[in-house]
Amino acid sequence: MNMTKSFPDKTIHEIQALERGFYRFFCDLFIETIFEMHISEKEIHRRMTFGNLEAILEQNAMNKSVMIMTAHYGNWEWTLAFPTYSPEKYPSNPIYKRLRNNLIDKLTYNLRSRYGASLIEKSDLLRTLYRFQKEKQTGNFWMISDQTPNSHSIHYWTNFLNQDTPAVVGTEQLARKFDYPVFYADISRIKRGYYHCEFIPISLEPTKTVQYEITEKYMNMLEKSIVAKPEFWLWSHKRWKFQREPPAPKGEEEKKEPPAPKGEKERERK
């Protein structure tokens, strides 16, 4: 259903081929995640490379933290090897949501921090950013931004993969508030088990952008990545959970019946 709505011009046979391609990749991703428990730093450097890293380090050198917008595309877990390419004084801070199962949460936390990343729980992010600002610390914050916002947190809709899509705007709001440059982590699979992440600037001066400009640019970049290789995005759950309500015609107001005269309801009951 996700793929059919995203690619209306493709035939059913083309959609089925994409679906099979996704499941093959999904199995690879599962094995690669387990492999990460034992992979050496030398081996991860062979399999996960980064491009335009100097653009981020240049911002760090000017005492600027950076927001890195990524997605559930390619092997996003292996991008956590980023600290092995970056000086220790510029920590890598992936944002995550604590899992309900304590055992699985501990396993996931240890796996994602084994290369030196300092994970920040989603509810602690704003407090951490204020602390960084107060203590004049510099870091790089990884934000997975292709998730669906809660129904009460929908502030912006965009056209994404041929569908009305509510976008997560938290990264943009924080970037504009703290004046943190924003980059897109464009992940591509070179071949089976090998990936490359290219850092593409979205905005180096976020305070000068208009509202939702950063979010729109990110969604456009992500769409371009998905259209190029659809099978490497995470399609396995319901991607579009909400529908945008059409705006009411201009000037049209809901017609309400005038209140019944005093005593009318009593006479009707009689």
Side-chain angles (χ1 to χ4, degrees):
M1 182 181 65
N2 287 334
M3 288 182 171
T4 300
K5 291 183 177 180
S6 298
F7 306 107
D9 295 335
K10 292 187 180 297
T11 67
I12 183 63
H13 298 294
E14 290 173 321
I15 294 295
Q16 289 172 344
L18 285 179
E19 184 182 22
R20 289 192 296 272
F22 163 72
Y23 280 118
R24 282 195 295 268
F25 167 70
F26 191 59
C27 290
D28 283 351
L29 182 64
F30 180 75
I31 298 301
E32 288 167 3
T33 302
I34 296 176
F35 182 44
E36 189 181 358
M37 297 178 183
H38 311 287
I39 192 172
S40 66
E41 183 175 316
K42 181 179 179 180
E43 184 65 15
I44 196 68
H45 279 193
R46 288 181 59 244
R47 294 177 174 271
M48 182 76 243
T49 58
F50 294 91
N52 199 28
L53 176 62
E54 62 276 4
I56 290 181
L57 298 182
E58 182 180 345
Q59 296 297 320
N60 294 159
M62 295 188 291
N63 298 320
K64 288 186 178 182
S65 293
V66 170
M67 310 292 278
I68 302 173
M69 300 182 77
T70 184
H72 294 94
Y73 186 86
N75 192 329
W76 64 90
E77 295 287 353
W78 280 9
T79 60
L80 297 177
F82 176 84
T84 63
Y85 289 87
S86 173
E88 292 184 5
K89 60 181 178 179
Y90 305 139
S92 179
N93 306 104
I95 312 307
Y96 86 110
K97 184 177 181 180
R98 185 174 288 112
L99 303 176
R100 293 182 181 180
N101 186 298
N102 291 332
L103 183 62
I104 300 299
D105 180 72
K106 183 178 180 180
L107 176 64
T108 302
Y109 186 95
N110 291 338
L111 184 64
R112 291 178 174 176
S113 60
R114 71 182 300 258
Y115 294 112
S118 300
L119 274 66
I120 299 175
E121 213 283 327
K122 183 179 178 181
S123 60
D124 294 330
L125 176 57
L126 186 59
R127 188 181 304 110
T128 301
L129 292 178
Y130 275 120
R131 179 171 59 81
F132 267 59
Q133 185 183 60
K134 181 179 180 181
E135 298 176 359
K136 297 183 179 180
Q137 296 185 44
T138 302
N140 298 300
F141 299 88
W142 290 76
M143 318 287 287
I144 295 184
S145 303
D146 64 337
Q147 298 169 326
T148 302
N150 297 324
S151 58
H152 61 274
S153 301
I154 297 176
H155 303 291
Y156 179 66
W157 291 81
T158 186
N159 185 278
F160 177 70
L161 291 174
N162 296 299
Q163 299 168 78
D164 271 342
T165 305
V168 175
V169 298
T171 302
E172 173 178 331
Q173 292 173 339
L174 293 173
R176 296 179 68 192
K177 181 179 181 64
F178 291 93
D179 196 22
Y180 286 170
V182 185
F183 284 76
Y184 171 54
D186 186 15
I187 305 171
S188 57
R189 188 162 88 153
I190 307 305
K191 60 181 181 179
R192 195 176 188 187
Y194 291 81
Y195 300 86
H196 179 75
C197 177
E198 188 75 15
F199 294 113
I200 304 174
I202 295 179
S203 176
L204 300 182
E205 297 178 303
T207 56
K208 295 182 179 180
T209 62
V210 298
Q211 190 176 32
Y212 305 131
E213 178 182 338
I214 292 174
T215 300
E216 188 66 28
K217 286 184 177 180
Y218 163 76
M219 297 296 283
N220 289 337
M221 290 178 176
L222 175 59
E223 181 178 78
K224 184 178 179 180
S225 299
I226 295 171
V227 170
K229 293 288 184 179
E231 62 270 28
F232 300 144
W233 196 41
L234 193 63
W235 298 93
S236 51
H237 60 284
K238 189 175 182 180
R239 276 289 179 181
W240 285 266
K241 302 175 183 177
F242 307 110
Q243 291 184 344
R244 176 160 39 175
E245 296 182 1
K250 188 176 181 180
E252 183 175 318
E253 297 180 357
E254 183 180 358
K255 295 182 180 180
K256 297 182 180 180
E257 294 184 1
K262 189 176 181 180
E264 184 69 26
K265 291 184 178 180
E266 183 66 24
R267 285 195 296 271
E268 288 178 356
R269 285 195 294 269
K270 291 181 179 180

